[in-house]
Amino acid sequence: MKNIVFPKNLKKGDQIAIISPAGFVEEASLQSTINLIKSKGYETILGKNTLGKFENGYNYSGTEKERIQDLNWAFNNPEISAIWASRGGYGCQHLLRHLKLSEFRQNPKWYIGYSDNTVINSYLLKNNFASIHGQTVKTASFGVSEGSYEDIFKILEGKKIYYSVEKHQLNKNGKTEGELIGGNLALIYALLGTPYSFDFKDKILFIEDIGENFYALDRMLISLDLAGVFRKIKGLIIGGMTNMGDEKENKNYEEPFDEFAYEIIAQRIKKYNFPTLFGFPNGHIFDNRPLIIGSKVKMEVEEKGLVKIL
């Protein structure tokens, strides 16, 4: 396995940049987490276009040029110790060809985000840097658990993270270790066949998603299967699957772990024997616990599912 670079631990007084690489965000929706960051002893600085707005079929925080300027500024500014995405949405793929890591390589820093930010997690890992797939600065309409943020600060401060997940009837028992990859399934799917796709060989894959029709979920899983992903991985962790299908027809629409979505996943991986853990607390859900993309994890699926970041 290639040597993955893990950014140094933060210390009190360090500066965390807040940027918006995708969707438009209102200032009020950031304030709660900004206050939390400051209460932990860190400083915050907003990118020039963090609170911008550019309408082009979607409400972006800025033009592609403006968004990449903010991202490259945050990556390569030596006075910044971590980068926290304000939100996801859509737009991070626009930036991949223009990301620069010149100064970042000399001074690696944690990048924190999920959802659309999965493509930036993947980009960093392709360049051998770990990052955090975790809650954005913006708090979702359904709220965010205190632990979702507390575990991020634990990672930033160099503390180990360990998760114990209740047994699920669709789990496949087994033990494995490997490098953790993944994030939002729609973005993993969107990167297939590109230079920015994850390398799946001998990895433990994590997936989560929101707002997909059941046929679209199945289509993405089929594409992963046709691309050989499930033949390559050593384990699979499934997180939140929420707001799936038709709101009027799906009784589990608001549930964090949609039962029918889980059944579809189980059907598509039935012929494979890798350990599989359903119900992991990460995704577009209230209790969105962070994972380190690029970390070595130990996965044990028996009576309970255990995930330990080594």
Side-chain angles (χ1 to χ4, degrees):
M1 181 167 43
K2 61 193 175 192
N3 293 322
I4 305 301
V5 177
F6 290 79
K8 63 184 179 182
N9 301 339
L10 267 65
K11 60 185 185 299
K12 303 304 179 184
D14 279 348
Q15 194 162 236
I16 297 176
I18 298 173
I19 60 166
S20 300
F24 157 76
V25 64
E26 295 181 350
E27 184 174 10
S29 64
L30 305 181
Q31 199 57 54
S32 176
T33 308
I34 289 175
N35 292 341
L36 178 60
I37 293 169
K38 291 180 177 179
S39 75
K40 296 292 185 181
Y42 305 112
E43 301 297 325
T44 60
I45 181 170
L46 270 61
K48 183 178 178 181
N49 302 287
T50 298
L51 300 174
K53 188 173 184 180
F54 173 66
E55 298 180 16
N56 188 34
Y58 180 79
N59 289 331
Y60 302 98
S61 68
T63 63
E64 291 180 26
K65 182 178 180 180
E66 289 170 337
R67 285 180 284 131
I68 194 60
Q69 284 176 342
D70 275 12
L71 194 52
N72 282 331
W73 160 78
F75 271 163
N76 298 296
N77 187 329
E79 296 181 0
I80 292 171
S81 299
I83 307 164
W84 208 328
S86 71
R87 60 161 294 180
Y90 173 69
C92 290
Q93 281 178 291
H94 298 156
L95 313 181
L96 295 179
R97 287 182 175 142
H98 310 290
L99 290 177
K100 298 178 180 178
L101 299 179
S102 52
E103 299 300 325
F104 180 93
R105 295 184 187 279
Q106 309 305 317
N107 181 34
K109 58 199 76 176
W110 284 112
Y111 184 88
I112 310 157
Y114 78 118
S115 192
D116 201 57
N117 291 280
T118 294
V119 300
I120 297 178
N121 296 135
S122 182
Y123 178 92
L124 288 170
L125 190 58
K126 296 291 280 190
N127 285 276
N128 301 334
F129 295 103
S131 61
I132 299 172
H133 185 274
Q135 181 60 38
T136 54
V137 177
K138 177 186 176 182
T139 52
S141 59
F142 44 75
V144 182
S145 72
E146 182 179 333
S148 298
Y149 285 118
E150 289 299 323
D151 281 353
I152 289 175
F153 287 110
K154 286 180 182 178
I155 293 172
L156 294 177
E157 294 164 4
K159 298 171 184 174
K160 296 292 185 180
I161 299 294
Y162 171 89
Y163 297 111
S164 176
V165 182
E166 289 300 317
K167 184 177 181 179
H168 194 283
Q169 62 181 1
L170 296 175
N171 284 354
K172 289 186 180 181
N173 290 354
K175 299 181 181 180
T176 190
E177 291 185 12
E179 183 182 298
L180 182 70
I181 62 169
N184 183 262
L185 177 59
L187 276 303
I188 297 169
Y189 163 77
L191 290 177
L192 285 177
T194 76
Y196 308 102
S197 179
F198 287 105
D199 174 9
F200 298 95
K201 185 173 175 54
D202 295 330
K203 305 300 193 300
I204 295 176
L205 175 63
F206 167 76
I207 59 173
E208 64 84 26
D209 222 319
I210 185 174
E212 296 288 352
N213 285 311
F214 291 121
Y215 72 83
L217 170 63
D218 188 60
R219 178 171 56 203
M220 291 187 285
L221 294 168
I222 286 288
S223 288
L224 264 62
D225 197 7
L226 292 173
V229 170
F230 299 135
R231 293 196 305 272
K232 297 176 182 177
I233 61 174
K234 296 173 68 176
L236 179 64
I237 300 172
I238 302 98
M241 292 282 161
T242 190
N243 297 163
M244 307 296 281
D246 189 306
E247 183 174 5
K248 296 178 181 179
E249 297 178 1
N250 182 8
K251 65 180 181 179
N252 297 312
Y253 188 78
E254 300 292 344
E255 294 299 315
F257 309 113
D258 186 277
E259 292 179 11
F260 190 60
Y262 272 19
E263 288 285 352
I264 291 172
I265 296 168
Q267 291 168 15
R268 288 302 171 197
I269 61 169
K270 186 177 181 179
K271 61 184 177 183
Y272 299 101
N273 296 317
F274 46 72
T276 305
L277 175 62
F278 286 85
F280 189 88
N282 181 297
H284 293 73
I285 57 178
F286 176 74
D287 194 27
N288 180 19
R289 300 300 180 107
L291 288 167
I292 301 175
I293 301 303
S295 63
K296 185 176 181 181
V297 300
K298 184 176 182 180
M299 179 181 173
E300 299 181 5
V301 185
E302 294 176 333
E303 281 304 304
K304 287 190 174 183
L306 306 178
V307 177
K308 185 175 184 180
I309 298 176
L310 303 177

